Amino acid sequence: MSFTQKWPELGWALFRLLLVASFSQAKESVCMQRGDPENPQLSRDGDIILGGMFSFHSSWNDRKDTYIEFRVAQAMLFAIEEINNSTDLLPGVSLGYKMYDTCGSIAQSIKVALALMNGNQIIFTAPEAPCTKPAQVQAIIGETSSSPCMAIATVIGPFYIPMVGRIISHLATCACLTLVYLVKYFRWTWVGAIRTNDDYGNKGMATFTETAQQLGICLEYSVSFFRTDPYEKIQKIIDIIKASTSKVIVGFLSHFDMDVLLHEFSLNNLTGYQWVGSESWIFDSQTAKMDIHHILDGAIGLYIPKSHVTGLKEFMLNVKLLNSSNNDLFTEFWEALFNCKFKELKSTAENPRECTGHEDLTGVQNSFTDMSLMPMFNNVYKGVYAVAHALHNILNCNKTCEKNVQLDPFMRILKIYFKTKEGDEVYFDENGDPAAKYEIINWQPRKNGIVEFVTVGLYDASLSPGKQLTLSSYMQFIHVCSEKCPPGTRKVLQKGRPVCCYDCIRCAEGEISNTTDSVTCLRCPPEFWSNERRDTCIKKEAVFLSYEEIMGALLTAASLFGTCMTTGVALIFFKYRKTPIVRANNSELSFLLLFSLTLCFLCSLTFIGQPSEWSCMLRHVAFGITFVLCISCVLGKTMVVLMAFRATRPGSNVQKWFGPTQQRLCVTSFTLIQLIMCIIWLTVSPPFPFKNFKEFKDKITLECALGTSVGYWAVLGYIGLLSVLCFIFAFLARKLPDNFNEAKFITFSMLIFCAVWITFIPAYVSSPGKFSVAVEIFAILASSFGLLICIFFPKCYIILLKPERNTKKNMMGKGAPRPPS
C-alpha cells in the first residue's frame, strides 16, 4: 500500500493523538524546547544508526528521578560498545546512535519518531509506490511506557521502517493476562479497578476484563484517571471506592498517575485495601517512598525478573566517559548529582560550589547508584542485541558483512534466537513479543518505614499451563462479593448485580448439592431422600405396621386376647355340651362359629409385619373366607331360630327342609362362593407388595396393593350382603316367645358388625400408609369381639353363674317363674 493510500489513516491517528497530548502541552513546553529533534541529546556516527527515545526530562519534577532514563540510555550505549568491539557479531559494521529526549510526552514522542525516520521531511509518492526514502535509523529503542509506543507504532507503521514495524521498547509491557491469573490464584473474585486513561490503561484493562469474566472474576467498578484530571474526578473515584464492598483494587496505572492518586488517597485515609499493581508502578521505589500513610502496604504485582549484566554497573558508574562529548545532558546531570555548578555557568546562592567534572561517584548514595532497576537495563541491553542479530542475518554476515544489501522494509526481527553472555534466551513470538516472564512482587513494610520489594513467586508463560504460576508464600486474605455456597445449597444470582454476587439458597426437601458453588440442586432417586444438610441422599426409611411398634404390639395383643377368649368359650361349651343351652340352636353351628371367630382373630395377625408376596395374598383371602364362614354360621343360627318357631305351628313341615344337613349345606355354599371369588381374584390380579413413595415425602410406605380393586370390593361386598341378610333375619326373630331367644343377641351383634364396617370404609380410604392397615385390623377385631360377646357371653353367664336356668323347661318357658337374681 502506498503512502498516499495510508495518509487518511495516518492523518486521523496524528490528529487524535496530538489532541489528547495537547492537554499537557503547556506544562511540558520547557522540556520540549530542550528536546529539539534536530539536535539529539546523545549521538554518534556509524554504518548503521539506531534511534533512542527516552524521557530524560519530565514535567513531574516532584519525583526527582531524572536519573532513571539517563541510566537506560547508558545501558543502550553499553550494548552498542560491546557489539562494536565484537568480532563475531556484525564484524566490520559499526553501530551509531541518535538519542532524543521525549519529555514523557506523546506529542514529543511522535515528533521525535518522525524525525528519526526521515529527518522531519515528509515524502509523498505516487499511488502504488512505497515510501522508499531511506530512514535515518534502522531501529528505535524506546519508549519506556506502553502508551507512547502504541502512538508511535500507529504513526510510523505505514512507513514500513526496516525491522521496526513495531518499535523495540524495554518496558512497554502489559501484564494484564498475567494479573488475571494472579487474582484468580488468590480466589479474589470481587475486585475493583483503576486504570490510566490512555492506551496502556484502557487496552490493558479491556483485556483484563474480558479474561476475568471467563475465569469467573467480577469487577464491581472500573474507573479511569489521568494525571491532568481535575480534583472533582479524583474525589469521585474516592467516593466510589468508599462506597464499594470489594477490598481488592487492581491498579493499571502509570507511576505518574499513581503518585497523584496516592497523595489524595492518603488525605482521605483510604487504607485497608489489597492492591494488585501492574509493572508500571509495583517496583517503583519513588512511589514506595511517597506512601508514608501505608496505603499500598501488602500490594502485590508483577515485574521483570531480576537479572545481571556483567560490566554494566561499572560502565554506568564511569559516567565521566560522557564528558568527552561535552553535551548539555552530561552537564545538567552532573550538576544535579553533585549539587554544584561548572565555572562556565553563573553560580547562584543555591549552588555555590563549583563542579570540576572529576567528582567521585563511589561516595554517592542516591537513585543513580541504585541497581535495583537492572532488569529494565537488561531489557534495553537485550533489545539492542536483538537488533544486532537481526542485522547480522539480513547482511549475511559470516566473517564479514555485505554492507551493500538493500534493507527490505518488510523485514522483521521475529525469526531470531540467541543467548546473551549471561545465558538468557532471547526469541520472539509471531506478534513480535518475547515469552512473558514476571516475578511476583509483594510490598512488605519494615520497622524503619522502608518498603521492601519481596519476590514471592514467578510467572513463566513458556511453561505448561498448570506450572506457569508459582508462589512461595500464600496470602490468606480472600475477598469475594459472596462467599462460596457450601454443599447443600445452590447459587441464585442477585438481581441487577454481577454474576459474582449471589445468594445461597438451601436445597429443597428431596434435593441435594454435593459440590461447592453448585448452580442447581439434584433430586434424589425415588428410594432416597436428602439428609438434614442436603448434601447427600440417604435411603428412605421403610414404613409398615410392625410388631415392634406400640400400635402393632397393641393390635397383636388384642388379636391374641380375642383368640384366647374364643378358645375359653369353646372349652366351656365343650364341657357343658350336654346342657340345654348349648344344645339349643344347633350346637354344631356354635362350635363352627367359635372356630371361625378364632380364625378371624388370628387372620388380623397377617396384616402386621413387612408385606411380602405371600402375606399380601394370605391376608385378604383369609380375611374374606373366615368372615364369610363366620357370618354364614350366624346366618344359619338365625334361620334355625326362625324355622324352629315355624315348626311349632300345626301342620308345619318346615323343619325337615332346614335340618342339620341343610344347615351344613347352607354354610358350605355361602363359604364356597367366597372361596371361588378369592381364587378368581388371585388368578387374575392378586395383591402384591408395593412401595408407596407418594404417601410420605421422606419415607417409603410398604403396603399391599390390591391388584384389582374389583376383587377386593367384591369380597368385602359379599361379606356385607350376608351381614345385612343376617341382620334382617335376626331382627324378624327378636320377639319370638322363647325364654332364651338367641335371635335378639344376634341382632345386637350384627348391628355392631354393620356399624363397624360401615364406618370402616371412609376411615380406610382416608387413612395414610400403615394407618389404613391398622384401621382394617381394628374393624376385624371390633366385629369379631362384637359377635363373640353378644352371642356367647349371655350363654356363658347362664352356664357358669345361673346354672338353675340351664334347663329344658326354662328354655321352653314351662318352668316356674325365675327367682329374682
Side-chain angles (χ1 to χ4, degrees):
M1 184 180 292
S2 67
F3 175 78
T4 54
Q5 289 174 300
K6 278 287 185 177
W7 176 247
E9 176 186 343
L10 176 62
W12 172 247
L14 283 170
F15 171 76
R16 180 166 51 89
L17 293 168
L18 290 175
L19 182 64
V20 172
S22 64
F23 290 106
S24 58
Q25 190 86 17
K27 293 184 178 180
E28 298 168 346
S29 59
V30 175
C31 175
M32 291 183 180
Q33 289 175 4
R34 296 171 178 171
D36 186 355
E38 297 181 1
N39 299 297
Q41 273 63 44
L42 296 172
S43 62
R44 175 180 173 178
D45 291 333
D47 297 325
I48 296 177
I49 305 298
L50 303 183
M53 300 172 61
F54 308 104
S55 299
F56 293 125
H57 301 91
S58 171
S59 62
W60 311 100
N61 293 325
D62 56 334
R63 290 182 55 85
K64 300 179 181 178
D65 62 344
T66 56
Y67 306 136
I68 295 178
E69 296 292 302
F70 185 79
R71 289 186 295 164
V72 171
Q74 282 184 282
M76 179 177 173
L77 295 177
F78 176 72
I80 291 175
E81 289 292 333
E82 275 195 350
I83 294 170
N84 286 339
N85 293 329
S86 172
T87 58
D88 297 325
L89 188 60
L90 292 178
V93 176
S94 63
L95 295 180
Y97 53 84
K98 287 186 177 181
M99 300 185 187
Y100 287 89
D101 185 6
T102 62
C103 303
S105 166
I106 294 179
Q108 184 75 350
S109 298
I110 296 172
K111 186 177 180 180
V112 168
L114 292 172
L116 288 172
M117 286 191 301
N118 287 312
N120 290 327
Q121 299 180 31
I122 298 178
I123 306 299
F124 293 92
T125 61
E128 305 305 326
C131 179
T132 57
K133 184 181 186 299
Q136 285 194 359
V137 298
Q138 303 306 320
I140 298 175
I141 306 297
E143 264 266 11
T144 301
S145 58
S146 296
S147 293
C149 291
M150 295 178 183
I152 296 168
T154 302
V155 172
I156 68 175
F159 291 96
Y160 296 106
I161 300 177
M163 301 187 301
V164 284
R166 300 168 187 259
I167 61 175
I168 302 174
S169 174
H170 51 281
L171 205 62
T173 60
C174 177
C176 42
L177 292 178
T178 313
L179 278 182
V180 176
Y181 300 133
L182 182 64
V183 171
K184 180 65 175 178
Y185 181 89
F186 289 121
R187 292 181 287 170
W188 296 332
T189 59
W190 185 237
V191 301
I194 306 176
R195 67 185 185 277
T196 296
N197 193 10
D198 58 11
D199 287 338
Y200 168 73
N202 293 330
K203 292 186 177 180
M205 185 52 64
T207 305
F208 178 93
T209 303
E210 180 181 357
T211 309
Q213 290 176 347
Q214 298 172 0
L215 297 179
I217 300 171
C218 297
L219 268 67
E220 184 179 13
Y221 59 86
S222 179
V223 293
S224 62
F225 170 76
F226 197 72
R227 50 188 173 271
T228 57
D229 286 343
Y231 173 78
E232 290 76 14
K233 180 68 175 293
I234 302 177
Q235 188 59 47
K236 185 177 180 180
I237 293 175
I238 293 173
D239 294 339
I240 291 174
I241 295 175
K242 286 183 176 181
S244 67
T245 58
S246 60
K247 296 299 180 183
V248 178
I249 302 177
V250 178
F252 259 102
L253 299 161
S254 69
H255 56 265
F256 298 116
D257 298 321
M258 191 64 192
D259 292 349
V260 176
L261 287 176
L262 187 59
H263 175 72
E264 298 300 328
F265 289 170
S266 299
L267 294 178
N268 286 269
N269 193 29
L270 214 62
T271 59
Y273 292 88
Q274 172 64 51
W275 283 84
V276 180
S278 59
E279 73 288 348
S280 179
W281 64 268
I282 195 65
F283 203 74
D284 191 85
S285 58
Q286 294 297 320
T287 301
K289 288 179 181 179
M290 291 180 62
D291 188 22
I292 59 176
H293 294 282
H294 305 284
I295 302 296
L296 304 177
D297 279 2
I300 193 168
L302 307 167
Y303 195 67
I304 307 167
K306 292 183 178 66
S307 57
H308 176 72
V309 181
T310 304
L312 180 57
K313 179 178 180 180
E314 292 75 16
F315 180 85
M316 287 184 173
L317 294 180
N318 192 18
V319 73
K320 295 177 184 178
L321 296 174
L322 293 177
N323 195 22
S324 59
S325 62
N326 195 26
N327 59 63
D328 294 336
L329 183 62
F330 171 79
T331 300
E332 182 181 353
F333 159 73
W334 199 259
E335 289 179 345
L337 187 63
F338 291 101
N339 194 23
C340 63
K341 281 288 185 179
F342 283 99
K343 62 182 179 180
E344 294 87 358
L345 302 175
K346 182 178 180 180
S347 298
T348 62
E350 291 80 9
N351 297 288
R353 193 162 61 86
E354 182 178 317
C355 297
T356 64
H358 300 286
E359 284 79 4
D360 187 10
L361 271 171
T362 57
V364 175
Q365 294 292 332
N366 57 19
S367 61
F368 180 78
T369 59
D370 179 18
M371 289 296 143
S372 62
L373 295 180
M374 184 62 76
M376 183 194 302
F377 307 148
N378 184 38
N379 277 357
V380 178
Y381 177 82
K382 290 191 292 187
V384 175
Y385 265 88
V387 174
H389 278 275
L391 289 170
H392 188 90
N393 296 336
I394 293 171
L395 299 178
N396 302 316
C397 296
N398 192 357
K399 292 184 179 180
T400 59
C401 298
E402 299 178 14
K403 297 184 180 180
N404 59 347
V405 173
Q406 179 66 38
L407 296 177
D408 187 350
F410 295 96
M411 289 183 179
R412 298 290 186 269
I413 62 171
L414 301 181
K415 297 181 180 180
I416 62 168
Y417 173 86
F418 66 94
K419 285 188 176 182
T420 66
K421 60 184 179 181
E422 309 297 339
D424 294 338
E425 294 181 328
V426 179
Y427 58 92
F428 300 91
D429 61 18
E430 64 276 5
N431 297 319
D433 299 320
K437 190 174 183 179
Y438 297 100
E439 285 185 353
I440 301 174
I441 304 298
N442 182 221
W443 285 33
Q444 297 184 6
R446 301 308 180 195
K447 292 182 180 179
N448 55 6
I450 298 175
V451 173
E452 184 178 353
F453 302 125
V454 180
T455 300
V456 295
L458 179 69
Y459 178 84
D460 190 348
S462 63
L463 302 177
S464 59
K467 300 179 180 179
Q468 291 178 345
L469 181 61
T470 57
L471 277 88
S472 57
S473 62
Y474 186 82
M475 302 174 68
Q476 296 298 323
F477 170 74
I478 298 176
H479 185 70
V480 294
C481 177
S482 298
E483 295 294 333
K484 289 184 177 295
C485 289
T489 62
R490 62 184 177 90
K491 298 198 306 186
V492 176
L493 297 181
Q494 295 177 357
K495 186 176 181 180
R497 303 196 71 185
V499 294
C500 294
C501 300
Y502 47 82
D503 296 316
C504 298
I505 305 300
R506 193 180 188 212
C507 291
E509 290 183 337
E511 297 181 347
I512 65 162
S513 65
N514 53 12
T515 58
T516 302
D517 276 347
S518 176
V519 296
T520 58
C521 293
L522 303 177
R523 180 162 290 280
C524 292
E527 293 192 12
F528 292 83
W529 192 251
S530 56
N531 61 349
E532 185 64 26
R533 292 165 53 186
R534 307 285 201 273
D535 58 359
T536 186
C537 290
I538 57 176
K539 197 170 183 64
K540 289 182 179 179
E541 177 188 357
V543 177
F544 57 91
L545 187 61
S546 65
Y547 294 101
E548 289 79 13
E549 60 182 300
I550 296 177
M551 184 167 58
L554 291 176
L555 292 175
T556 301
S559 175
L560 295 176
F561 179 69
T563 303
C564 293
M565 286 180 61
T566 307
T567 304
V569 170
L571 292 175
I572 294 172
F573 267 52
F574 181 76
K575 183 178 179 180
Y576 297 97
R577 62 185 178 279
K578 303 294 185 180
T579 62
I581 199 168
V582 175
R583 297 179 65 184
N585 303 107
N586 195 331
S587 61
E588 184 178 336
L589 285 179
S590 296
F591 282 107
L592 186 58
L593 177 58
L594 288 171
F595 174 72
S596 63
L597 283 174
T598 302
L599 294 180
C600 287
F601 282 116
L602 291 178
C603 82
S604 62
L605 297 178
T606 63
F607 288 83
I608 304 175
Q610 182 172 346
S612 64
E613 185 175 350
W614 285 105
S615 68
C616 287
M617 291 188 292
L618 178 62
R619 66 173 60 171
H620 290 96
V621 171
F623 160 69
I625 294 175
T626 56
F627 260 80
V628 165
L629 178 61
C630 180
I631 299 302
S632 298
C633 292
V634 175
L635 184 59
K637 291 176 74 65
T638 307
M639 294 177 68
V640 167
V641 174
L642 284 175
M643 295 304 108
F645 176 75
R646 297 277 184 181
T648 59
R649 294 181 178 181
S652 176
N653 59 353
V654 175
Q655 191 168 4
K656 71 176 182 178
W657 295 104
F658 203 77
T661 303
Q662 288 78 10
Q663 294 173 21
R664 297 188 193 101
L665 184 61
C666 181
V667 172
T668 303
S669 300
F670 288 147
T671 306
L672 185 61
I673 293 173
Q674 182 76 307
L675 180 61
I676 293 173
M677 286 195 296
C678 287
I679 292 174
I680 295 173
W681 182 15
L682 295 178
T683 304
V684 176
S685 181
F688 58 91
F690 171 68
K691 294 180 179 179
N692 189 339
F693 300 105
K694 298 180 180 179
E695 200 72 56
F696 299 101
K697 295 182 293 184
D698 56 342
K699 297 177 182 178
I700 302 176
T701 303
L702 301 182
E703 56 187 37
C704 288
L706 298 177
T708 172
S709 57
V710 175
Y712 176 75
W713 291 111
V715 168
L716 199 63
Y718 183 65
I719 296 173
L721 176 62
L722 294 181
S723 302
V724 172
L725 289 176
C726 187
F727 176 76
I728 293 172
F729 289 159
F731 184 80
L732 294 175
R734 72 189 187 283
K735 293 184 178 181
L736 293 179
D738 284 4
N739 216 8
F740 183 83
N741 187 0
E742 193 178 33
K744 56 186 174 184
F745 298 111
I746 294 175
T747 303
F748 289 128
S749 66
M750 296 315 301
L751 186 62
I752 294 173
F753 187 93
C754 293
V756 167
W757 286 101
I758 289 173
T759 56
F760 158 77
I761 295 174
Y764 177 81
V765 172
S766 61
S767 298
K770 64 181 181 179
F771 297 102
S772 63
V773 178
V775 167
E776 191 166 2
I777 295 174
F778 179 81
I780 293 173
L781 295 177
S783 55
S784 299
F785 275 113
L787 290 174
L788 179 65
I789 293 172
C790 290
I791 295 177
F792 292 99
F793 271 37
K795 294 181 180 182
C796 291
Y797 172 77
I798 294 174
I799 293 173
L800 298 177
L801 300 179
K802 300 293 182 179
E804 67 276 8
R805 295 172 56 184
N806 191 5
T807 62
K808 187 176 182 180
K809 290 181 179 182
N810 191 60
M811 291 296 104
M812 299 300 295
K814 297 178 181 180
R818 290 178 296 174
S821 53

